[in-house]
Amino acid sequence: YTYRYRNQYIVANDSLQLQRLGKTIDTISQAQIQVGTIASKNQQKLAAPALKVNKSSATSGNYLFVNSKLLGSKESLVLWKQSSVIDVYDLVKNRYEFSFYVEDIGKSKLRTFQVFNDTFIGLIGNHIVRYQLGDRFKQTQISPDLTVQKSKPKNNTRISG
């Protein structure tokens, strides 16, 4: 499970028992919400939408892929505006590995994605994109529920719909 509004993810087993907690590289550790009061109704409501930290995520083998919503301190604003950032975490080592960018198509950003072994498939507008991630992510079985993988994207294939 990846939290949408803070920098944390949970790894659980098939029985939903907690295996480990992890943190993403973003710095938001508590949900950023603003509460307003409607005096005439004596109610409290959200004054603004909560700040999203993680837009979406997927796992494949030992890796967590997170579409980060926030600009990193060392990222180019120009590149960030023209693409979606995917941060990659090793779930066994419980650490950040690297990031890669999925380029926007026109004004459309990455809406959703999945990772299958060494293949990243994303939906951008009405286009499907495919990245071959490389040998690092090819699955090698090391235990019943853990796999080893790894590499940066190459060979971007776009399929228009």
Side-chain angles (χ1 to χ4, degrees), residues 25 63-66 86-90 95-100 133 136-137 151:
I25 58 175
Y63 292 90
L64 170 64
F65 298 80
V66 177
I86 305 295
D87 297 327
V88 181
Y89 300 87
D90 185 315
R95 71 178 188 202
Y96 167 78
E97 291 290 314
F98 62 89
S99 298
F100 63 90
L133 298 174
R136 178 181 205 176
F137 292 96
S151 191

Side-chain angles (χ1 to χ4, degrees), residues 7 34 37 39 54 71 79 84 93 95 102 107 115 158:
N7 67 341
Q34 297 175 10
T37 302
N54 302 308
L71 177 67
L79 185 58
S84 296
K93 296 176 183 172
R95 71 178 188 202
V102 178
K107 294 182 181 179
V115 180
R158 183 185 307 172

Side-chain angles (χ1 to χ4, degrees), residues 3-138:
Y3 284 91
R4 186 174 302 255
Y5 302 105
R6 66 181 194 216
N7 67 341
Q8 193 172 32
Y9 59 87
I10 295 172
V11 178
N13 65 15
D14 292 341
S15 302
L16 298 180
Q17 294 173 320
L18 177 67
Q19 298 296 297
R20 74 180 60 87
L21 294 173
K23 291 193 182 291
T24 64
I25 58 175
D26 296 293
T27 58
I28 308 296
S29 60
Q30 289 188 321
Q32 304 293 302
I33 59 172
Q34 297 175 10
V35 178
T37 302
I38 302 172
S40 63
K41 295 182 179 182
N42 196 25
Q43 292 180 341
Q44 290 189 327
K45 293 196 170 199
L46 288 177
L51 175 69
K52 286 184 186 173
V53 175
N54 302 308
K55 181 177 178 183
S56 58
S57 63
T59 59
S60 181
N62 292 342
Y63 292 90
L64 170 64
F65 298 80
V66 177
N67 180 195
S68 177
K69 285 286 289 175
L70 302 177
L71 177 67
S73 62
K74 297 178 182 176
E75 285 183 307
S76 158
L77 180 60
V78 172
L79 185 58
W80 188 76
K81 285 183 176 181
Q82 298 172 354
S83 58
S84 296
V85 180
I86 305 295
D87 297 327
V88 181
Y89 300 87
D90 185 315
L91 295 172
V92 173
K93 296 176 183 172
N94 207 22
R95 71 178 188 202
Y96 167 78
E97 291 290 314
F98 62 89
S99 298
F100 63 90
Y101 298 87
V102 178
E103 191 174 333
D104 296 348
I105 298 175
K107 294 182 181 179
S108 298
K109 293 197 111 13
L110 180 68
R111 291 187 350 201
T112 189
F113 69 96
Q114 286 294 317
V115 180
F116 303 98
N117 295 319
D118 63 341
T119 304
F120 175 98
I121 298 173
L123 180 62
I124 302 174
N126 62 350
H127 299 272
I128 295 172
V129 295
R130 178 180 164 265
Y131 284 97
Q132 201 64 43
L133 298 174
D135 291 341
R136 178 181 205 176
F137 292 96
K138 287 190 177 169

